[in-house]
Amino acid sequence: MDEQTKEMHFDALIIGAGFSGLYQLHRLRDHVGLNAAILEQGSGVGGTWYWNRYPGARCDSESQGYCYFFSKKLHQEWQWSERYPGHSEIRRYLNFVADRLNLRTEIFFGTKVCRCTFLTQQNVWHVETEKNKSFYAKWLITGVGCLSSTNVPNIKGLSSFEGNWYHTGQWPRGGVNFKGQRIGQIGTGSTGIQAAPVIAKECKHLTVFQRTANYSIPARNDSWDDDYTQWVRNHFKELKSLVQSTPSGHPFRISSNLTMEVSENERQSIFNDAWLKGGLRFRGVFSDLLTSSKANQQASEFIKSKIQRKISNPETAKILTEIDHPYAAKRPPIDTNYFETFNRDNVALVDLKADPISEIFAKGIRLRSGVEHELDKIVFATGFDAMTGPLIKLNVVGPNGNLKNYWRDGPINYLGLSIPGFPNLFTITGPGSPSVLSNMPVSIEQHVDWITKCIQYCTDKKIDLIEAGEDAAQDWTIHVRETANATLLPKVKHSWYLGANIPGKPRVFMPYAGGLVTYRQICNTIEKKGYSGFKLLKSTGATNIKKIDLQKLRSFALGI
Ligand code: NAP
């Protein structure tokens, strides 16, 4: 691409070169015939996996389901090496896809978007980049992921720390040397649980600072042999149909059994089998683990007792299992030797519930009690300003104002795909869609296919503008909240699903908890009805957006 040109015009611009952006570019360029391009901040493809290179970074979805299913040819050519793909292997996979589909020619790397403004006179999006370049396009599609806006907590004194510190979501490309060093890790979510065992093996001493104890199921990762690869290749059709027919998009079925309808012995045996199989499958052994407190308690107690048995020091075991939320109401981690890591001589656990961090000082971390932990490096495994964060950061301005203002009380949109007052903008895996509650590539393919069809429809019918209608968006937003309220998912204090991990962020359950199958049906019906709920216009000029009844929405806000 001509890197010198300051202004470039396209039919469609896509932001982000991860799973979403790559497939969207392929569909719009190669199937609709649009002049489309991707703007990507990093210097390579990968999206989430371009940035998340921390020790132990690995996907929790199983490899046979963590891939594209739109092309049998691609599927047959690729070979995963393990049950769960590691971060570098996922980057290799996405590079392989970009090469096979010849996508690189339409990707602007090193291009960070800093503002997107809809120009009402021309009906185009003006996208400005950090390097003062301007791109224009009729269609703007975000593929920025749900977990790309990192959260470094505002802890007093960080700038005075004499060592280096890192956030796991922006890990240096060349890696970090921990050899002979004293490391402090803050955070014990899915990331921290993956990182700690690997860091512990490399460093002189690791101190894990835990605010909230977490469940974790053993991942039981293993390598794939050629026979299994062949089996996966031979079962392309079945695997595709499986991931598209389960509510989570994972390549396993959710049992229809109810937890309390089986005998105590049978229940324990089912939990135990799932524990031995490992991974996210544990969530699916009964259908009511996320809807019945009683059922959930059975699973929670089982997991806690298993964890306790792994840890030799009873005090450490107590701190690691004083878990304050139902199992899987926060995104459930899976691990490789996480709890066993605390049996190592070079690992210590700090209970921040009992003694919170008061500040970071030149030599390390000081707790409220005055206890000091001297450290050479600090690792922040402290998560993300999830889902809305990456979109708001783009500084998107529609005819009626900035998205940040429009979403100040939480995300309002239709299907997680389209926002009133932001014409011709589509948000792949946006808040209000199943996204993070599902196996992402499967959700991404569904969104990209839907958006592509919609753009094809508008092109065929010569429609200038399409955007979510306010009534449809309001109803959808309420439906998303009601659906979550029917589960245990909102019953958590600090969950990024609720935005509760970010100070000042509205506490609203963001993903759609109704399941991918139901969601797909809803999207298909709306498409078949000629995009019911959307405003389709052939005119130009600002669309007047009706005010959403925020009072009504707030009554569905979640509290515990
Ligand atoms: P997270 O789940 O939000 O966990 C952040 C951790 O940092 C929590 O333990 C949190 O404690 C702690 N924390 C945050 N601010 C803190 C503060 N000021 N002081 C002390 N502790 C603080 O973030 P994550 O682990 O990065 O995971 C985010 C999501 O990324 C996952 O849920 C998952 O969806 C995805 N992910 C996926 C994979 C995979 O597929 N392999 C791997 C990693 C991550 P509290 O719990 O008390 O807030």
Side-chain angles (χ1 to χ4, degrees), residues 326-358:
Y327 166 65
K330 278 183 166 188
R331 159 69 156 74
I334 65 174
D335 71 280
T336 301
N337 295 330
Y338 174 65
F339 297 105
E340 293 84 343
T341 294
F342 293 93
N343 297 335
R344 293 175 67 103
D345 291 339
N346 71 334
V347 176
L349 176 67
V350 172
D351 179 8
L352 296 181
K353 277 251 159 72
D355 195 359
I357 294 175
S358 108

Side-chain angles (χ1 to χ4, degrees), residues 146-216:
C146 300
L147 297 161
S148 53
S149 179
T150 51
N151 166 42
V152 178
N154 187 13
I155 300 175
K156 190 174 126 198
L158 177 58
S159 58
S160 68
F161 183 58
E162 286 173 357
N164 289 330
W165 62 266
Y166 310 88
H167 188 284
T168 47
Q170 285 194 320
W171 204 254
R173 289 185 70 190
V176 176
N177 185 4
F178 292 117
K179 211 165 167 210
Q181 309 217 318
R182 298 160 303 171
I183 310 302
Q185 176 188 305
I186 305 177
T188 53
S190 300
T191 301
I193 280 176
Q194 286 187 332
V198 185
I199 296 176
K201 276 193 203 154
E202 283 175 36
C203 70
K204 183 173 163 202
H205 190 269
L206 171 68
T207 309
V208 176
F209 295 85
Q210 173 192 281
R211 186 165 69 184
T212 309
N214 219 335
Y215 301 94
S216 181

Side-chain angles (χ1 to χ4, degrees), residues 248-305:
S248 63
H250 284 287
F252 52 82
R253 299 229 171 264
I254 313 282
S255 163
S256 54
N257 289 341
L258 295 173
T259 312
M260 304 313 289
E261 276 185 4
V262 299
S263 70
E264 172 66 15
N265 276 350
E266 202 181 333
R267 191 160 49 241
Q268 293 306 316
S269 150
I270 289 171
F271 283 145
N272 207 44
D273 281 353
W275 180 264
L276 293 174
K277 278 195 190 109
L280 293 175
R281 288 167 187 258
F282 193 96
R283 245 187 334 187
V285 292
F286 291 108
S287 64
D288 55 350
L289 289 185
L290 268 175
T291 49
S292 153
S293 296
K294 203 169 174 194
N296 192 288
Q297 204 182 352
Q298 298 289 320
S300 301
E301 291 308 323
F302 173 88
I303 300 167
K304 282 189 216 170
S305 75

